[in-house]
Every structure is written in structure tokens, then in C-alpha cells.
Amino acid sequence: MMGKIIAVHSYKGGTGKTLLSINLSAALAERGKNVCLFDLDFRAPSLSMLLRVDKAEHYLNDYLNNTSDIHKVLVDLSDRVGKKGKFFVALANPGTEAIRDMSAKDRKWEMRALARLLALRTPLLNDSGFDYLVFDTSPGLQYSSINAIVSADLVLVATTFDRSDVDGTRRMLRELYDLFEKKTEVVLNKVLEVSSKTSKEDIRTKLKDIYQVPLLGIVPCFCDILKAEGGTIFPQEKPDHPFTRILNEMADKIDGLP
């Protein structure tokens, strides 16, 4: 199977996008897939903190600035995450100056950055044998997010039932995703009540009517996930948790997509 690039996106912050990116990547690695997770949220990078990587020699910023090879950026966390498959991460620089620098990039730089993202297929998917590159994007319509979407084979949109999120996500799907003709699936997160198969089907029908795209999964609002504050990698640390079961179901679906 040819490797794929997955972009995980959201209309607004607070949808659980990064939590989904980390744990879905881990679920794929637990299936024996070779996965590399990228922090493309340059305005609020968090993967280094959540994955407890104190310092990297090179950052994704360096690769996009054309001052480092991508292989120097990758950090191997396979001994901690996804022991059946490889798990690497490409971190965004969390330093204040780096965040300011990335926030000030102009459109010409973003076009060059898009070319650098598109160029990842050969060294990583073809030559290094990664099955999935997972892009954790900035929320909203930042240039970096649009670049990630353009580069991706599949876009997962993390959303909630918050009214502003629903309205914004619907407009974003219609005005942006349709333009790029991207294969897109929605993950509905932080659902307060999913008590039966019937309620799940009702939610699926409602979401399909709203967004007109497939629903990859429904994630209830688990209190222990909130308490973990993103610090728990559920497929690795809590394999019997209901969230892990949902992640595995989503990983199965992704793995079965053409």
C-alpha cells in the first residue's frame, strides 16, 4: 500500500485536534504501521511538551526554512510509543522567537514551504518506508493549515457540537475543502451523551446532513481524558480504555481507505 499523508484540522481551537492527532498516530503505530507525526501548529506548538521531548537538535521550522534535512528533524520515539511499528515526530520550535518568526512569514515563504511539504513524499513515504505522515495543523485558515490540507491525501476535521464550531466548520468545508477536492472525514469530539447504538446513528445522520462528508468517529466526553490534559497516550498506556477502542476503530477505517 502506498503511504498516505493525513492532515488533522479544525475550524477553531479547543476541539481536541492535537489529542486526536497524537493518539490516532499511536493507534496506527500499534497496528504495526510506521508513522511520523508533524507539529504544523507553529503559532502554538505543543507536541514537544505533550510527548515530553525536552529539546530537538533540529525543528520542522528549519526544514521549511531550507536550513536542515528532514531526516535531521525527525525524533524517534518508537521505544515509548507504538512498539509494533515505528513512531517518529517532527517538532515545531516552541521558543518565543521561533513562534514570532513563523507568524511573520509572508506569502512567498508559504509557497516555498508548501513545496517543501509536498517534497516529503519521496524521502519519507517512498524511501524511508513510512506508512503515514500525520500533520497536526493550526486551527482555522492559517497559510500553514492550508498548506497541510493541500499536501494531504486525507483530511480529518475535528469538531464539536458547539454552535460556532458547527457553523464555522460547515462553511470551511464548503468554501475551502470543496475547492481543493480533498477526501475528508469528520471526527465528532466531546459528545456529552452517546448512550446507545440508536443515539450514535442519530448523530451520524445529523452530522451527514450538516457537513455532507463521512463521519469517521464519535468520541464521547471522557472525564479522565480531560484530567490527563493531553499527557496520556491511550493506545500505549490504557489499551482497554473506551477511547482506545474508538481510536482503533478509526485506525481500521483509515487503513481500509483506498
Side-chain angles (χ1 to χ4, degrees), residues 5-10 137 148-150 152-157 173 177 182-186:
I5 297 177
I6 300 172
V8 185
H9 190 217
S10 63
T137 72
I149 292 165
V150 171
D153 303 297
L154 170 67
V155 184
L156 304 183
V157 180
L173 288 170
Y177 285 63
K182 287 295 173 181
K183 183 186 291 290
T184 305
E185 303 229 0
V186 166

Side-chain angles (χ1 to χ4, degrees), residues 41-45 61 93-104:
D41 192 351
F42 295 107
R43 293 171 183 257
N61 312 52
N93 191 330
T96 302
E97 288 302 317
I99 293 172
R100 286 177 181 167
D101 175 66
M102 295 300 281
S103 299

Side-chain angles (χ1 to χ4, degrees), residues 66-106:
N66 202 19
T67 59
S68 178
D69 180 80
I70 189 59
H71 293 288
K72 294 181 179 179
V73 174
L74 304 187
V75 179
D76 187 357
L77 299 181
S78 303
D79 60 334
R80 290 165 39 194
V81 183
K83 294 181 179 178
K84 295 179 182 178
K86 295 178 183 177
F87 187 97
F88 283 70
V89 63
L91 299 171
N93 191 330
T96 302
E97 288 302 317
I99 293 172
R100 286 177 181 167
D101 175 66
M102 295 300 281
S103 299
K105 297 297 188 185
D106 60 19

Side-chain angles (χ1 to χ4, degrees), residues 97-129:
E97 288 302 317
I99 293 172
R100 286 177 181 167
D101 175 66
M102 295 300 281
S103 299
K105 297 297 188 185
D106 60 19
R107 191 169 182 177
K108 288 184 179 179
W109 184 92
E110 294 290 357
M111 292 298 292
R112 293 193 295 270
L114 173 59
R116 298 283 283 172
L117 286 178
L118 291 169
L120 290 172
R121 289 184 181 273
T122 297
L124 297 185
L125 295 179
N126 297 347
D127 298 344
S128 297

